Amino acid sequence: MPYVASRHNSLIAHVVTVVFGLIALIILLHLAFVLLEANPGNPLVDAIGDMANWFSWLFRDMFTIDDPKVRAVVNYGLAALVYLLIGGAIAGAGRRWRSH
C-alpha cells in the first residue's frame, strides 16, 4: 500500500507543477505579445491577455513605471515568477511528504 500512496503523491506533485507552469506560460506569452506589439484585436492575443490578466490580478499594477513595456516586464514577470515558485514549493512539499 505505501507504494500506491507514493505513486499517487508523485502524480499530484507532477500535476501541480504542470498546472502552475502552464499559468506562468500564459503570463509569459502575454508578456511576449506586449513586448512584440502583437495585434490586440487578434482573438488569440486577446484570449491570452484576458487569461494573463485574470491570473496576475494582484501584480498587474503593482509597479507604476512610465514605460508600458518595462511596466509589463516587471509586473507580469513578477507574477510568472511567483507562480513558478509557488508551484515548485507545493510540488516539493508533496515529494518530501511522500518520502516520510
Side-chain angles (χ1 to χ4, degrees), residues 15-31 48 51-57 59 76 79-84 86-87:
V15 168
V16 166
T17 302
V18 168
V19 168
F20 278 79
L22 286 174
I23 292 169
L25 178 64
I26 289 167
I27 294 169
L28 292 173
L29 271 174
H30 173 66
L31 183 55
I48 294 291
M51 287 187 287
N53 284 329
W54 192 85
F55 285 123
S56 62
W57 64 276
F59 302 93
Y76 286 99
L81 179 63
V82 167
Y83 274 105
L84 289 173
I86 291 172

Side-chain angles (χ1 to χ4, degrees), residues 11-84:
L11 176 64
I12 291 171
H14 182 70
V15 168
V16 166
T17 302
V18 168
V19 168
F20 278 79
L22 286 174
I23 292 169
L25 178 64
I26 289 167
I27 294 169
L28 292 173
L29 271 174
H30 173 66
L31 183 55
F33 291 158
V34 169
L35 294 176
L36 297 171
E37 300 177 8
N39 176 10
N42 178 284
L44 177 63
V45 173
D46 184 50
I48 294 291
D50 287 346
M51 287 187 287
N53 284 329
W54 192 85
F55 285 123
S56 62
W57 64 276
L58 281 174
F59 302 93
R60 265 197 325 256
D61 297 319
M62 185 174 281
F63 298 99
T64 55
I65 301 165
D66 289 336
D67 185 323
K69 288 184 179 182
V70 174
R71 183 174 55 241
V73 167
V74 171
N75 292 324
Y76 286 99
L78 180 60
L81 179 63
V82 167
Y83 274 105
L84 289 173

